[in-house]
Amino acid sequence: MRLSASHAVIAAFVLAAATAAPARAEETVVVAATGGAYEQSLRKSFFDDFTNATGIRVQVVTASAQEQITKLKAMNQVGAVTWDIAVLGDIEAHSNDVRAMTEDMGTFCQAFAERKDLLKGACDSSGAQLNSGLTYIVWDGDKLPNGGPTTWSELWDVKRFPGARTFPNFNDPWRVMAAALVADGVAPSDLFPLDIDRALRKLDALKPHINLWWKTGDASQQGYRAGEYVAGMVWQTRASVLLKEGRNLKFSLKEGVLVSDRATVVKGGPNKANALKLLNFIENSVDGMARHCTNLGCTPPSTAAMEKMSPEDQANMPIKPEIYASLIIPDFEWINANRPLMLDRWNTWLQK
Amino acid sequence: MAARMTSTSTAGIYSPATALVLLLPLIALFCGAFLYPVGRLLAMAVFDPDFTVRHLAKAVESPLYVNVFLRTARIAAAVTLAAFALGYPVALLMSRLSGRAALFVTACVLVPLWTSVLVRSYAWIVLLQTNGLVNGLLRWLGLTEGPLKLLYTEATVLVAMTHVLLPYMILPIYGALRAIPADYERAARNLGAGAVTSFITVTLPLSLPGIFAGCLIVFILSLGFYITPALVGGPETLMAATLISQQATELLDWPFASALSLLLLAGTLVVVVVFRRFLSLSKGL
């Protein structure tokens, strides 16, 4: 009995070794992206179709954007890069730190120069844009039944729109500072360089009313469900989850902060050719872009993809000229150069 | 008593050489997986690439960082005190109980220890949020009119951290109390001491090693606490660990992050040395 049991164990090992060998030969591409709903949507909109079409398996590594950059830097220092694609925020993707660790995609993008449907910057030397979305003003339709704040200066008006406020505090304070400056009368086109002193002075006035400083998108959703705030600044993707739940949440696209996610190709990754094939597939998959943004409530980088989405979803995109003109568009260069200064000033202000 | 004496005599069974061989795997793991990476990280604070104190100076000169370190130390001290005040009676009870009751109390202490810190911190959010259980109860009892702001304050951080760290205080004290033979207290009572006097003159001093060990563990863990303050604290409750992570992951300023880590580690070591000193003094009591 014992003999046959050990034989079975050996047989299992041999079998495992035999099946492991072809698995290694299988073509793969390793993508680092934030997990949860975002990863799910990438799989259903692009990766599954890509694997069906090419036989290349997409392996997803889950990490927040900042964790990805930190890990990329560490992988570069020890010379063992195991990722092929990193999906990062557009601002971070354009920083010098990241650009030093990612491939120049200028040549890759030339193939799409003729595509009239792609938005400006959809494909640039730092990578391929996957989606963009707003950080915008929302309010609780039950608590403000006669309409809520639709601009930052109205959000600051606690007499007209009484109730607790929420703002993000995830170590990236430029959005809140930009919103404060627009509330103080600065035109969105004149925001950069940000007047940090003026922004913090404007924020002083609202600080006592800010009940929830959310650190994760999940916290902003839970805060709404629990009634921790009446109005505030949240991510569009998270607000769309609340809307799908049937909550009486209202929002304003006006003066929203427009930020995109970008797929970058990592220098020295193990499957660079497959990475380029995947990005090429995504750029050509207008249907995939439409599905991805229907899932998440975002804006795709192609007008052809927008047209494939439902009229309700299209109405939630900041593409109407008068809305688009009011948006806060980040100045990558200034933000990346002034991160340490902003964070220092922000931390000091929070502790006052 | 006799059984307790023999239990320590196993140390004599192994020769120093055998003991060293048995310890080798652990020493190798400790050096390779802990000392080396921590050493490299800390070296980054002062070699960039040549020797420099500029990163350390930046941390010490900025009021922001000094304030955050002071707050971290203050919160850690407050959590340690609160955990001691709440934990000692529980440890005393555990050491006196037997049978099912002992099992029950031990389970109450250990089960939270096995539950994720994240889950325990979220539980406090559910309890303390604006429309949470505590505010609901207060209003139902008619004690408050509107909801109180219980969440996202420094007090909440203290409460939640004390809760999360309480087992680390209870277990060492429980160990020390269990090691005190019951005869000692009986002898004290026999000689005319009351319950309070025998506790203060016999039990408490003999449990001091456990108290110091528990306080040290809780204090040091509090210094590096990260998740709980981030979840239940307000924006002003910045702690040292949060600042270090900002520098490491947001700004990729690893030399400055390691300078901050070095300062935190140095502060922690000072506390350990001071506690050790207290511990050796207390043995002479």
Side-chain angles (χ1 to χ4, degrees):
Chain A
M1 268 309 271
R2 192 177 291 168
L3 199 68
S4 69
S6 65
H7 274 134
V9 172
I10 293 167
F13 269 110
V14 172
L15 199 68
T19 50
R24 223 176 298 145
E26 190 189 35
E27 289 283 315
T28 57
V29 55
V30 184
V31 180
T34 51
Y38 192 79
E39 180 195 326
Q40 287 288 320
S41 178
L42 285 179
R43 278 184 191 284
K44 285 185 198 140
S45 313
F46 304 111
F47 299 166
D48 289 348
D49 289 350
F50 175 71
T51 304
N52 284 337
T54 62
I56 300 169
R57 205 165 53 88
V58 181
Q59 195 191 328
V60 181
V61 180
T62 303
S64 78
Q66 286 308 325
E67 283 166 5
Q68 286 180 44
I69 298 171
T70 313
K71 207 159 173 193
L72 268 183
K73 187 175 169 184
M75 289 196 291
N76 266 283
Q77 282 197 352
V78 297
V81 179
T82 57
W83 299 347
D84 300 302
I85 291 178
V87 180
L88 304 172
D90 221 357
I91 306 171
E92 290 82 2
H94 283 86
S95 71
N96 292 335
D97 278 322
V98 172
R99 286 306 301 274
M101 301 187 288
T102 54
E103 298 281 354
D104 189 308
M105 300 289 282
T107 327
F108 170 87
C109 288
Q110 276 169 17
F112 311 102
E114 298 297 308
R115 282 268 299 275
K116 293 277 180 289
D117 63 308
L118 290 180
L119 303 182
K120 186 170 156 273
C123 192
D124 73 14
S125 52
S126 65
Q129 209 178 69
L130 296 180
N131 49 265
S132 45
L134 295 178
T135 310
Y136 62 14
I137 300 168
V138 301
W139 67 91
D140 188 328
D142 291 333
K143 295 193 180 121
L144 295 173
N146 305 319
T150 59
T151 63
W152 297 115
S153 89
E154 287 178 357
L155 185 67
W156 252 254
D157 190 343
V158 284
K159 287 207 180 70
R160 220 174 122 202
F161 305 105
R165 300 293 195 259
T166 191
F167 277 90
N169 175 29
F170 52 93
N171 303 334
D172 188 25
W174 73 268
R175 294 165 216 246
V176 182
M177 291 181 185
L181 288 170
V182 172
D184 206 29
V186 179
S189 51
D190 301 334
L191 272 173
F192 293 92
L194 290 183
D195 185 342
I196 298 177
D197 290 319
R198 185 171 168 189
L200 294 179
R201 269 200 308 275
K202 184 71 182 172
L203 276 160
D204 278 337
L206 197 61
K207 200 179 184 186
H209 303 277
I210 302 171
N211 186 42
L212 173 66
W213 287 97
W214 54 269
K215 280 189 153 56
T216 63
D218 188 57
S220 71
Q221 282 168 242
Q222 192 48 37
Y224 178 83
R225 296 191 195 105
E228 297 285 351
Y229 60 88
V230 170
M233 182 186 208
V234 306
W235 285 329
Q236 187 178 20
T237 48
R238 297 307 183 136
S240 75
V241 173
L242 291 167
L243 288 166
K244 278 181 192 161
E245 281 174 14
R247 310 263 169 185
N248 188 12
L249 180 81
K250 306 286 181 199
F251 61 87
S252 165
L253 300 175
K254 224 186 287 172
E255 297 178 0
V257 183
L258 188 68
V259 176
S260 317
D261 290 314
R262 192 171 287 272
T264 61
V265 175
V266 177
K267 262 186 198 160
N271 313 288
K272 190 189 162 189
N274 292 346
L276 293 176
K277 276 184 203 160
L278 176 56
L279 290 195
N280 190 56
F281 182 88
I282 290 174
E283 287 293 308
N284 286 315
S285 173
V286 172
D287 286 317
M289 290 179 187
R291 275 204 303 278
H292 181 54
C293 276
T294 304
N295 292 335
L296 296 178
C298 57
T299 306
S302 148
T303 50
M306 290 176 200
E307 281 157 17
K308 286 181 184 287
M309 293 168 68
S310 72
E312 298 84 51
D313 283 332
Q314 288 189 46
N316 293 344
M317 290 183 214
I319 46 175
K320 281 188 198 137
E322 69 273 18
I323 294 290
Y324 193 85
S326 77
L327 296 184
I328 296 172
I329 312 279
D331 177 335
F332 300 158
E333 207 176 322
W334 189 88
I335 293 172
N336 283 323
N338 291 282
R339 259 177 214 288
L341 172 72
M342 275 194 289
L343 201 54
D344 249 37
R345 296 292 316 274
W346 182 251
N347 284 337
T348 311
W349 177 78
L350 282 177
Q351 297 199 62
K352 262 204 314 195
Chain B
M1 186 70 186
R4 217 170 62 81
M5 297 297 274
T6 51
S7 72
T8 55
S9 64
T10 49
I13 291 177
Y14 303 108
S15 68
T18 326
L20 190 66
V21 169
L22 287 172
L23 278 173
L24 261 183
L26 185 67
I27 293 172
L29 183 72
F30 183 72
C31 290
F34 181 74
L35 279 188
Y36 174 70
V38 169
R40 272 200 64 167
L41 179 82
L42 296 180
M44 230 188 280
V46 284
F47 293 101
D48 186 21
D50 299 314
F51 181 80
T52 171
V53 289
R54 130 179 97 88
H55 302 297
L56 288 169
K58 183 176 159 194
V60 180
E61 280 162 9
S62 155
L64 169 66
Y65 298 105
V66 174
N67 282 340
V68 169
F69 273 94
L70 289 178
R71 163 175 309 111
T72 308
R74 202 183 67 222
I75 289 180
V79 167
T80 309
L81 268 179
F84 171 67
L86 292 172
Y88 196 93
V90 178
L92 196 60
L93 181 68
M94 273 169 75
S95 70
R96 298 286 157 92
L97 289 174
S98 60
R100 268 168 196 276
L103 205 67
F104 176 73
V105 177
T106 311
C108 286
V109 174
L110 286 180
V111 169
L113 194 62
W114 297 329
T115 315
S116 148
V117 178
L118 206 59
V119 172
R120 280 183 283 168
S121 303
Y122 263 110
W124 282 107
I125 297 184
V126 174
L127 284 173
L128 298 177
Q129 63 194 10
T130 304
N131 296 321
L133 290 172
V134 172
N135 264 318
L137 186 69
L138 287 175
R139 253 176 299 172
W140 182 73
L141 291 172
L143 292 174
T144 53
E145 299 235 326
L148 296 176
K149 185 177 168 67
L150 301 172
L151 208 52
Y152 313 121
T153 63
E154 197 166 302
T156 324
V157 175
L158 289 182
V159 171
M161 278 176 70
T162 304
H163 167 237
V164 167
L165 292 171
L166 200 52
Y168 297 98
M169 180 66 84
I170 293 174
L171 294 175
I173 297 179
Y174 166 73
L177 286 170
R178 283 286 288 200
I180 303 171
D183 298 347
Y184 287 11
E185 202 189 321
R186 252 178 258 143
R189 300 295 294 272
N190 233 359
L191 294 169
V196 176
T197 316
S198 79
F199 173 76
I200 292 174
T201 55
V202 178
T203 312
L204 188 64
L206 284 172
S207 66
L208 274 178
I211 295 174
F212 281 123
C215 287
L216 193 61
I217 295 172
V218 170
F219 186 79
I220 289 175
L221 287 176
S222 306
L223 282 181
F225 238 57
Y226 185 68
I227 301 171
T228 307
L231 283 176
V232 304
E236 70 284 350
T237 317
L238 260 183
M239 304 256 300
T242 311
L243 276 191
I244 294 171
S245 105
Q246 280 180 350
Q247 294 297 330
T249 66
E250 294 296 322
L251 306 177
L252 297 177
D253 191 347
W254 292 2
F256 189 49
S258 51
L260 292 174
S261 310
L262 185 65
L263 289 174
L264 186 60
L265 182 66
T268 310
L269 287 178
V270 167
V271 171
V272 171
V273 169
V274 170
F275 264 78
R276 291 268 322 168
R277 181 101 188 100
F278 266 116
L279 194 58
S280 52
L281 284 179
S282 71
K283 275 184 184 152
L285 277 173

